[in-house]
């Protein structure tokens, strides 16, 4: 049987002090008594006292020197370990004090920014200016907006992204995480620890991927259109009509061509979003009318479902009608797809908190709670690997979220496994509609 070694007893700083105090007290109390009995004559006694004092000072100095040397060696060893740990980090690390001064920067940070040890600006504001730190959209940032400043206010900042220009002119895309250093509970942070990671290569690969997807989607549209066109021609060119099974085959070809066209279009739209090429053509329209139009079109998709619209009053918004149509089609399609047993799919169009809101509730299978957090992520499929998996590329909801956010709105959902889901999104009302709502409230 093995036993764990006993932990070394922590050294107590008061112990050598106590020992020193006892020895010094005994020396003072008894040394004079001993000397009085041994040394004869006042002159000799005074000389011995002087020698005794010098010996006491020498012994005390030696003891103090030994203690200080021991503590200094331990401190230097601790600092060396601390410095070695910082310098061995792969990520760049910077320590910033409450006055906005850089007090520590490891080797990785110097390498990241292309700086020599003596070239690191002391003041963080100067650091921002030298490296021309900006937001990913190119907008400038101030010291108060930096993660380090927020960390000194007690906030923990995770993976905020910035553009940084090295001294050689190269632009880097970096991720910044900042945390406050709090020595005592309730105290104001004295330091902020800032960790930076270079995302430049990752962003380059992501852009290459998005460019490839965009190109592939463009190239796929032509053959899909050709296939659909010839399938329709064959359907019309069959002399004397065709057999029922041939008609069914042509209908399947048409339907699957339409589905493939939709998937390619979604893929193309996602690529445009990532590359910043998706433009919005805003116009004023009545949201309920668009919902009713989409609902009528989607009603023919399934005979098992009944689509029901609820609306009180007219809701005018200023948005890209085609893009909102796309959002509605995606949400209706999901509601139908994930309600395989059929039932009523209810839709509400209303005005809430100065926004136009659309909510679509289905009686379907719902979304497992542990899979809800990533639902709007690109290429994420909540039902992947489950019996309820209905296929797809996992970009429909991501596309919906991006379109709604580009309009300044938001999208959210409520869902419980086995009990269905409700997806909602909001859009700002058109200016005239906002004025009417304010008058109505007055």
């Amino acid at each position: 049987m093995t036993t764990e070694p006993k932990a070394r007893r922590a050294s107590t700083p008061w112990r050598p002090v106590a020992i020193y105090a006892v020895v010094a007290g005994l020396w003072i109390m008894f040394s004079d008594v001993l000397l009085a009995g041994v040394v004869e004559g006042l002159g000799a006694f005074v000389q011995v006292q002087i020698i005794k004092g010098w010996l006491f000072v020498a012994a005390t100095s030696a003891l103090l020197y030994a203690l200080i040397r021991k503590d200094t060696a331990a401190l230097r060893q601790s600092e060396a370990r601390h410095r070695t740990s910082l310098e061995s980090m792969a990520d760049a690390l910077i320590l910033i004090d409450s006055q906005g001064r850089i007090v520590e920067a490891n080797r990785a940070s110097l390498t990241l920014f292309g700086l020599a040890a003596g070239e690191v600006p002391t003041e963080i504001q100067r650091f921002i200016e030298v490296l021309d730190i900006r937001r990913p959209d190119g907008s400038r940032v101030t010291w108060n907006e930096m993660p380090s400043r927020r960390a000194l206010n007690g906030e923990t900042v995770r993976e905020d992204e910035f553009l940084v220009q090295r001294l050689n002119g190269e632009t880097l895309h970096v991720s910044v995480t900042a945390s406050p250093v709090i020595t005592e509970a309730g105290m104001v942070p004295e330091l902020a620890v800032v960790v930076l990671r270079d995302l430049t290569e990752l962003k380059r690969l992501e852009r290459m991927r998005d460019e490839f997807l965009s190109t592939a989607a463009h190239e796929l549209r032509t053959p899909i259109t050709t296939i659909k066109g010839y399938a329709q021609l064959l359907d019309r060119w069959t002399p004397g009509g065709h057999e029922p099974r041939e008609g069914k085959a042509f209908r399947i070809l048409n339907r699957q061509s339409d589905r493939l066209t939709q998937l390619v279009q979604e893929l193309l739209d996602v690529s445009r979003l990532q590359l910043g090429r998706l433009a919005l053509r805003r116009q004023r329209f009545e949201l309920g009318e668009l919902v009713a139009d989409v609902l009528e079109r989607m009603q023919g998709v399934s005979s098992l479902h009944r689509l029901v619209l609820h609306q009180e009053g007219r809701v005018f918004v200023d948005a890209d009608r085609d893009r909102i149509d796309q959002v509605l089609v995606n949400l209706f399609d999901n509601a139908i797809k994930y309600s395989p047993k059929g039932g009523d799919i209810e839709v509400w169009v209303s005005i809430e908190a100065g926004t136009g809101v659309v909510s679509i509730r289905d009686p379907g299978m719902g979304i497992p709670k542990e899979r809800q957090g990533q639902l709007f992520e690109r290429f994420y499929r909540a039902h992947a690997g489950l019996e309820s998996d209905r296929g797809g590329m996992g970009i429909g909801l991501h596309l919906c979220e991006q379109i709604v956010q580009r309009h300044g709105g938001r999208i959210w959902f409520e869902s419980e496994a086995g009990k269905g889901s409700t997806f909602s999104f909001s859009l700002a009302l058109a200016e005239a509609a906002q004025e009417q709502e304010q008058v109505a409230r007055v």
Side-chain angles (χ1 to χ4, degrees):
M1 187 176 87
T2 60
T3 58
E4 294 292 332
K6 293 183 179 179
R8 292 183 61 187
R9 183 175 297 175
S11 62
T12 53
W14 56 265
R15 184 167 297 176
V17 176
I19 294 173
Y20 169 76
V22 171
V23 172
L26 292 174
W27 174 266
I28 292 170
M29 289 174 61
F30 295 107
S31 62
D32 288 346
V33 175
L34 292 173
L35 288 175
V38 175
V39 179
E40 296 180 358
L42 180 61
F45 183 81
V46 171
Q47 290 179 349
V48 173
Q49 283 281 53
I50 293 172
I51 294 172
K52 186 190 73 169
W54 280 109
L55 288 174
F56 183 78
V57 171
T60 303
S61 299
L63 177 61
L64 291 174
Y65 174 76
L67 291 175
I68 292 172
R69 183 177 181 182
K70 181 181 177 181
D71 289 343
T72 302
L75 180 61
R76 287 176 178 172
Q77 186 178 10
S78 175
E79 289 179 347
R81 286 197 299 266
H82 168 71
R83 168 56 57 184
T84 302
S85 299
L86 290 181
E87 296 301 339
S88 62
M89 289 182 61
D91 293 328
L93 183 141
I94 298 175
L95 294 179
I96 300 172
D97 67 14
S98 58
Q99 302 302 315
R101 294 188 295 261
I102 297 176
V103 298
E104 191 94 50
N106 67 351
R107 186 183 297 111
S109 65
L110 301 181
T111 302
L112 177 64
F113 301 125
L115 297 170
E119 295 177 334
V120 180
T122 307
E123 301 293 331
I124 189 65
Q125 185 59 48
R126 178 60 181 160
F127 186 79
I128 295 171
E129 295 170 359
V130 169
L131 297 174
D132 193 21
I133 300 176
R134 299 171 181 261
R135 290 285 181 185
D137 62 2
S139 59
R140 294 185 178 277
V141 293
T142 63
W143 156 233
N144 289 327
E145 297 172 320
M146 293 294 287
S148 51
R149 173 78 269 180
R150 293 160 60 189
L152 288 169
N153 291 332
E155 181 183 354
T156 298
V157 183
R158 302 184 187 279
E159 299 183 353
D160 203 355
E161 295 186 9
F162 295 90
L163 296 178
V164 176
Q165 190 173 55
R166 305 181 77 202
L167 292 189
N168 63 2
E170 179 185 0
T171 299
L172 303 179
H173 199 127
V174 299
S175 169
V176 180
T177 297
S179 303
V181 177
I182 302 175
T183 54
E184 295 182 23
M187 297 293 290
V188 176
E190 297 178 358
L191 289 173
V193 180
V194 181
V195 178
L196 304 100
R197 292 183 178 178
D198 187 0
L199 302 180
T200 307
E201 181 64 14
L202 177 61
K203 292 296 181 180
R204 186 184 71 84
L205 293 174
E206 286 183 352
R207 187 171 185 85
M208 288 177 60
R209 179 196 60 195
D210 293 330
E211 291 281 4
F212 169 77
L213 291 177
S214 179
T215 302
H218 271 295
E219 294 298 323
L220 284 171
R221 294 177 72 177
T222 300
I224 293 171
T225 303
T226 302
I227 292 171
K228 179 178 174 64
Y230 273 99
Q232 292 174 338
L233 285 174
L234 287 172
D235 189 18
R236 292 200 301 267
W237 287 351
T238 304
H242 45 66
E243 298 179 4
R245 62 179 182 178
E246 292 174 341
K248 182 179 179 181
F250 290 134
R251 287 194 297 274
I252 292 174
L253 276 173
N254 273 314
R255 188 163 59 248
Q256 293 304 315
S257 294
D258 290 338
R259 176 171 174 75
L260 190 55
T261 299
Q262 180 183 352
L263 291 174
V264 169
Q265 184 60 47
E266 288 183 350
L267 190 61
L268 184 59
D269 287 339
V270 168
S271 299
R272 286 172 176 166
L273 280 168
Q274 297 304 122
L275 296 171
R277 299 173 182 171
L278 187 67
L280 298 179
R281 294 185 293 273
R282 293 177 178 268
Q283 58 179 305
R284 185 175 184 272
F285 63 90
E286 208 282 307
L287 188 58
E289 292 179 359
L290 176 60
V291 173
D293 179 57
V294 175
L295 185 146
E296 184 178 357
R297 282 184 276 137
M298 297 299 296
Q299 183 63 75
V301 173
S302 172
S303 59
L304 298 176
H305 298 83
R306 188 170 70 101
L307 307 184
V308 183
L309 174 61
H310 305 281
Q311 180 179 3
E312 294 183 6
R314 295 165 68 78
V315 181
F316 288 93
V317 296
D318 183 19
D320 187 322
R321 185 183 178 95
D322 292 336
R323 293 300 176 189
I324 302 304
D325 184 298
Q326 191 175 359
V327 171
L328 291 168
V329 169
N330 265 307
L331 295 180
F332 276 120
D333 186 58
N334 281 346
I336 293 170
K337 184 190 301 183
Y338 291 101
S339 303
K341 295 182 180 179
D344 288 353
I345 295 176
E346 298 185 86
V347 190
W348 286 267
V349 180
S350 60
I351 295 177
E352 298 178 14
T355 62
V357 178
V358 177
S359 297
I360 301 174
R361 184 176 69 186
D362 67 69
M365 57 188 69
I367 303 165
K369 187 175 182 179
E370 65 276 10
R371 299 194 174 199
Q372 293 182 7
Q374 299 171 268
L375 195 61
F376 292 107
E377 289 185 8
R378 187 169 39 157
F379 305 123
Y380 180 77
R381 297 191 297 118
H383 295 269
L386 304 178
E387 292 183 4
S388 55
D389 191 357
R390 293 294 184 272
M393 293 191 297
I395 58 177
L397 287 177
H398 173 75
L399 186 58
C400 290
E401 180 192 45
Q402 292 297 308
I403 291 174
V404 171
Q405 289 181 352
R406 291 294 175 94
H407 282 83
R410 68 184 187 98
I411 185 169
W412 67 98
F413 70 94
E414 297 175 359
S415 184
E416 186 176 349
K419 295 186 178 181
S421 305
T422 300
F423 280 82
S424 305
F425 68 90
S426 64
L427 297 171
L429 296 175
E431 292 184 4
Q434 290 179 345
E435 294 174 0
Q436 292 175 3
E437 184 192 13
Q438 292 172 357
V439 171
R441 286 182 177 179
V442 174

